[in-house]
Amino acid sequence: QEACEARGCTWCVTDVVNAPRCFFPEDSPYGYSLGGNMESTDKGWRVTLNRRQALSLFGNDISPVVLEVEFQTKDRLRFRLYDPSSQRFEVPLKIDSPGVSAEEASYDVEF
């Protein structure tokens, strides 16, 4: 707990199994925030994320980053993060995805 709070993180004990006890607060200078409008796509959503500040925990951070959310089945969600200005290799894995609407899914997505 002391190490967590010394980093400026929030310490929270919970009864939820596997829930993190140490996490960055919402106003943390680390991480990313929504950088514009959420764009609805045929299969879900696309949003742009921007780094919050120049602070970096791991180095070589990319900004902006695009997050694509795809409602694949009633019980399966796919999300993909990528650098919109630089292509990279992606494993050519074909997954059948009939696509469902957010209303049909058994999960919720919030931004």
Side-chain angles (χ1 to χ4, degrees), residues 3-20:
C4 172
E5 292 172 345
R7 284 192 305 265
C9 296
T10 299
W11 179 263
C12 181
V13 178
T14 177
D15 292 334
V16 177
V17 178
N18 296 323

Side-chain angles (χ1 to χ4, degrees), residues 62 64 80-91:
I62 298 169
R80 180 175 166 240
L81 290 165
Y82 63 91
D83 179 351
S85 61
S86 178
Q87 285 195 331
R88 65 180 179 144
F89 173 78
E90 291 189 30
V91 177

Side-chain angles (χ1 to χ4, degrees), residues 31-79:
Y32 291 78
S33 60
L34 290 174
N37 296 335
M38 295 181 294
E39 177 186 345
S40 179
T41 66
D42 291 341
K43 297 181 179 182
W45 295 96
R46 180 179 301 116
V47 297
T48 301
L49 305 174
N50 293 315
R51 271 184 59 202
R52 289 189 174 181
Q53 290 186 14
L55 298 174
S56 175
L57 288 173
F58 307 106
N60 298 325
D61 297 329
I62 298 169
S63 188
V65 173
V66 173
L67 167 64
E68 287 185 353
V69 177
E70 181 181 329
F71 300 100
Q72 290 194 329
T73 70
K74 179 179 174 274
D75 299 310
R76 186 176 70 215
L77 173 77
R78 176 185 185 217
F79 68 92

